[in-house]
Amino acid sequence: MAKFYITTPLYYVNASPHIGHAYTTVIADCTARWRRLKGEEVFFLTGSDEHGEKIKKAAESSGKEVKVFVDEIVKNFENLWQRLNISYDRFIRTTDSYHQAAVKKVIKTLAEKGDIYKANYQAYHCIPCESFWTPTQLAGKELCPDCGRGVSQIDEENYFFKLSKYESWLKDYLKNNPDSIMPKTRYNEVIGFLENNQLEDLCISRPKLRVSWGIDFPLDDKYVVYVWFDALINYISGAGFASDEKKFKKFWPADIHFMAKDILRYHAVFWPIMLKALDLELPRMVFAHGWWKFEGEKMSKSRGNIVNPLEVTDQFGVDALRYFLLREIPVGLDGNFFYKPLISRINSDLANDLGNLLYRVLNMSEKYFQGKVISGTACFWPPVFEPFLKNGQLFKSYQEYMDSCQFSVALEKLWVFIGVMNKYIEEQKPWVLFKENRLDELEHFLWSLLEGIRIVAWLIFPVMPQTSEAILRQLGRELKAESPNWSKGDFSIKKEAPLFPRIDLDQYVD
Ligand code: MSP
């Protein structure tokens, strides 16, 4: 059985999660569910990044002890993931002892290799980004080049990792592996960065006198580990490095690291070099999606423009939010979160196209055949279905888009088939068939639609798991016994309440 290892970033637990965090995690969950559906053995890792000044400051301003504070915020993340049906296999916390042991092992190994040394460190620190900058990078301004906020100056002795030693290796590696960073624009960005900048060695320690909240630096007890160096190691520690050799052997390297473009450089420059220095294989792909903005700016706690995913799911439902996030914007681009487009998607795609199709067909099945619709011998598809079903075309193209993380395109194409089914009902006028007592034709007509809906239900499972199961249940089927291709089999209808009631747009103003 093929394995597939998927990760999300470890989210900072200085504040509760928002739509941006939900987005990456829903993408990762959709991929995990998709791969499992295809029979692969998936390991899906998510978790929390809990060390460093940013978190310590947030705890201080809440008046709580740091561990108590992070425990509370971690609960909010776990609750949200449960609410959004996130099927992760492990939730890693950087405060977990197995992770801390792995970080120490990494540093000791790199030191034995001669890749770590001590020197003076002068830099500017952006606390919200936990990023560090040289005077040259700031170009005369004391503002973070990533987020534009103020930075503070640092001048101290620290430990460094020899990043620069691996610069030419990384360039060669990336040139030979153009698919290792996706989408393509992000790959080009990293290549451009490497061409225009010389890599400086990475400062990987912080003196305890200044930053006390971190993993003890194993080479010197006056220091803790730099939070980013600590956090990146989760991708191996979470898969068993330094704790479960068998698991690690099975799942490493990661098949896909998901994140947004803001933290691409850490994953596309620092991380591969760390792995190379450790003699470990590199992840197959780093996928950096765009940002969800609200009121024109990247959503973030410090900007105060966040949308709370729990409120959205309470109002509109979990699957509606999952569908909207995956369908609304092509995965590499930025998007604006507004209620109007969300409600339009719910009303048109979910309530009208999918919901109505299902209920019209279920109603007719009950009305004309008391809910029992059999395939009989004539289970050929109607001519209008041909382009989708011949040679498993619908499944094949859906698979291609899902495998390449083009979720919005996969769904767009699937909805074309749903549209064709709706049109087929209009054109066939089943009520006439009934009136003229052409019951064989009517049953085959309904059976074909039920079979088409069954295929749709299978395909949407990674995107809307509850909806997929609800549809199959009403068809008298169960996901695990089903296939995504046209096949014989009877239906035994058990109609339930509509999946997506229409929402009154006028109630919501953007
Ligand atoms: N702790 C680091 C990551 C360490 S990974 C080893 C960090 N944490 S974070 O809480 O700031 O999360 C950043 C990630 O959250 C982004 O890369 C993205 O996956 C997600 N998002 C946060 N805000 C987002 C948007 N507004 N839009 C889309 N994704 C967003 O960086």
Side-chain angles (χ1 to χ4, degrees):
M1 191 195 277
K3 69 92 191 173
F4 203 84
Y5 176 21
I6 303 167
T7 69
T8 71
L10 293 195
Y11 303 113
Y12 286 130
V13 285
N14 58 316
S16 294
H18 57 67
I19 287 283
H21 304 114
Y23 182 54
T24 316
T25 314
V26 164
I27 284 181
D29 184 62
C30 177
T31 305
R33 287 177 182 274
W34 169 247
R35 295 280 168 176
R36 285 190 203 109
L37 198 56
K38 290 201 306 170
E40 296 175 21
E41 191 177 357
V42 168
F43 181 56
F44 172 14
L45 181 74
T46 189
S48 51
D49 193 352
E50 305 189 12
H51 292 126
E53 251 183 292
K54 178 188 175 103
I55 310 289
K56 186 154 180 274
K57 283 212 153 118
E60 276 164 10
S61 58
S62 78
K64 290 179 184 146
E65 203 258 306
V66 196
K67 187 65 168 68
V68 173
F69 174 78
V70 293
D71 283 352
E72 280 177 19
I73 305 270
V74 164
K75 277 266 157 315
N76 295 342
F77 274 88
E78 285 174 334
N79 289 342
L80 176 63
W81 300 156
Q82 199 180 4
R83 179 90 175 96
L84 292 179
N85 280 320
I86 304 300
S87 61
Y88 60 79
D89 296 294
R90 184 176 218 174
F91 189 102
I92 183 171
R93 301 181 57 175
T94 52
T95 47
D96 287 337
S97 57
Y98 73 91
H99 170 73
Q100 305 212 19
V103 171
K104 290 178 185 171
K105 183 173 165 182
V106 165
I107 292 176
K108 283 187 192 148
T109 311
L110 296 177
E112 278 160 21
K113 245 189 123 172
D115 280 353
I116 290 180
Y117 63 92
K118 196 174 184 186
N120 180 255
Y121 182 51
Q122 291 184 329
Y124 291 87
H125 181 199
C126 171
I127 297 178
C129 292
E130 284 291 8
S131 59
F132 290 81
W133 305 93
T134 60
T136 338
Q137 286 170 316
L138 293 189
K141 294 189 208 115
E142 294 206 351
L143 298 174
C144 169
D146 274 353
C147 72
R149 285 172 283 199
V151 288
S152 45
Q153 199 173 0
I154 281 170
D155 185 352
E156 61 201 21
E157 285 285 295
N158 264 317
Y159 288 86
F160 287 79
F161 167 52
K162 287 186 186 167
L163 214 58
S164 57
K165 174 175 155 188
Y166 297 91
E167 180 171 354
S168 61
W169 164 80
L170 181 65
K171 283 181 176 160
D172 285 348
Y173 175 80
L174 291 178
K175 289 222 165 93
N176 294 329
N177 293 275
D179 294 336
S180 62
I181 302 172
M182 292 298 269
K184 200 86 218 147
T185 45
R186 303 283 163 235
Y187 170 80
N188 293 337
E189 229 172 72
V190 174
I191 296 289
F193 169 78
L194 288 171
E195 273 164 8
N196 298 321
N197 294 276
Q198 232 190 333
L199 279 190
E200 294 189 19
D201 290 342
L202 182 67
C203 177
I204 59 166
S205 70
R206 299 294 181 262
K208 279 186 183 165
L209 276 176
R210 189 169 60 77
V211 185
S212 55
W213 180 240
I215 298 178
D216 283 339
F217 199 78
L219 311 177
D220 188 332
D221 61 10
K222 289 190 212 55
Y223 290 86
V224 292
V225 179
Y226 169 40
V227 60
W228 262 104
F229 199 78
D230 155 1
L232 285 166
I233 293 168
N234 95 86
Y235 298 130
I236 52 175
S237 68
F241 176 82
S243 61
D244 184 342
E245 225 171 280
K246 206 167 136 214
K247 186 182 184 91
F248 188 63
K249 211 165 160 222
K250 178 168 186 184
F251 286 106
W252 190 257
D255 292 273
I256 189 156
H257 288 318
F258 282 112
M259 73 209 60
K261 58 189 178 181
D262 50 347
I263 56 173
L264 175 61
R265 199 172 299 163
Y266 297 92
H267 289 81
V269 177
F270 300 171
W271 181 227
I273 291 183
M274 286 163 70
L275 290 166
K276 171 71 183 162
L278 290 167
D279 285 324
L280 292 175
E281 266 189 82
L282 302 206
R284 304 249 185 269
M285 187 192 289
V286 165
F287 193 102
H289 61 70
W291 283 335
W292 280 96
K293 299 182 170 186
F294 195 65
E295 290 156 354
E297 281 210 75
K298 183 188 173 226
M299 212 180 284
S300 77
K301 167 81 188 334
S302 48
R303 290 190 183 89
N305 63 345
I306 56 166
V307 174
N308 180 347
L310 281 179
E311 282 170 18
V312 179
T313 51
D314 285 349
Q315 274 176 320
F316 304 107
V318 174
D319 278 1
L321 175 62
R322 290 176 62 112
Y323 177 79
F324 176 72
L325 292 175
L326 293 164
R327 171 67 184 88
E328 188 66 8
I329 50 166
V331 79
L333 305 182
D334 291 349
N336 272 302
F337 194 92
F338 286 125
Y339 286 98
K340 235 187 209 159
L342 168 66
I343 295 168
S344 302
R345 285 272 171 216
I346 296 174
N347 284 344
S348 70
D349 299 12
L350 300 179
N352 254 6
D353 299 346
L354 178 61
N356 270 354
L357 169 68
L358 177 69
Y359 287 99
R360 286 164 90 184
V361 179
L362 294 182
N363 279 335
M364 288 188 281
S365 304
E366 285 192 336
K367 186 169 161 199
Y368 300 136
F369 296 98
Q370 294 74 49
K372 297 266 176 275
V373 183
I374 57 164
S375 58
T377 46
C379 73
F380 51 85
W381 51 67
V384 285
F385 290 13
E386 175 97 1
F388 302 92
L389 299 173
K390 194 174 173 194
N391 303 324
Q393 197 44 49
L394 180 66
F395 172 68
K396 278 189 195 149
S397 75
Y398 193 77
Q399 164 159 266
E400 202 180 305
Y401 294 121
M402 290 296 264
D403 282 355
S404 56
C405 303
Q406 298 184 68
F407 312 105
S408 64
V409 188
L411 291 169
E412 191 187 338
K413 304 274 181 211
L414 184 58
W415 253 250
V416 175
F417 180 50
I418 293 175
V420 164
M421 286 196 273
N422 274 317
K423 202 156 157 241
Y424 179 53
I425 299 178
E426 298 303 325
E427 285 168 0
Q428 284 297 299
K429 301 193 181 60
W431 46 95
V432 176
L433 295 179
F434 184 70
K435 228 188 200 154
E436 293 173 358
N437 209 23
R438 290 150 67 188
L439 292 184
D440 279 354
E441 272 173 77
L442 180 60
E443 184 159 27
H444 185 249
F445 161 83
L446 280 177
W447 181 84
S448 300
L449 287 163
L450 288 165
E451 179 58 9
I453 293 170
R454 185 196 65 77
I455 292 173
V456 170
W458 194 96
L459 294 172
I460 61 168
F461 176 75
V463 178
M464 297 188 282
Q466 281 175 350
T467 305
S468 160
E469 275 163 4
I471 296 175
L472 289 170
R473 206 168 48 234
Q474 295 179 71
L475 301 183
R477 300 290 184 89
E478 253 186 274
L479 184 73
K480 52 181 186 297
E482 299 300 325
S483 97
N485 289 312
W486 192 259
S487 40
K488 258 182 158 183
D490 303 340
F491 292 100
S492 172
I493 306 308
K494 299 179 210 99
K495 204 171 74 190
E496 298 172 10
L499 297 171
F500 298 98
R502 280 185 68 80
I503 294 167
D504 181 5
L505 188 59
D506 294 339
Q507 276 182 18
Y508 298 89
V509 187
D510 272 329

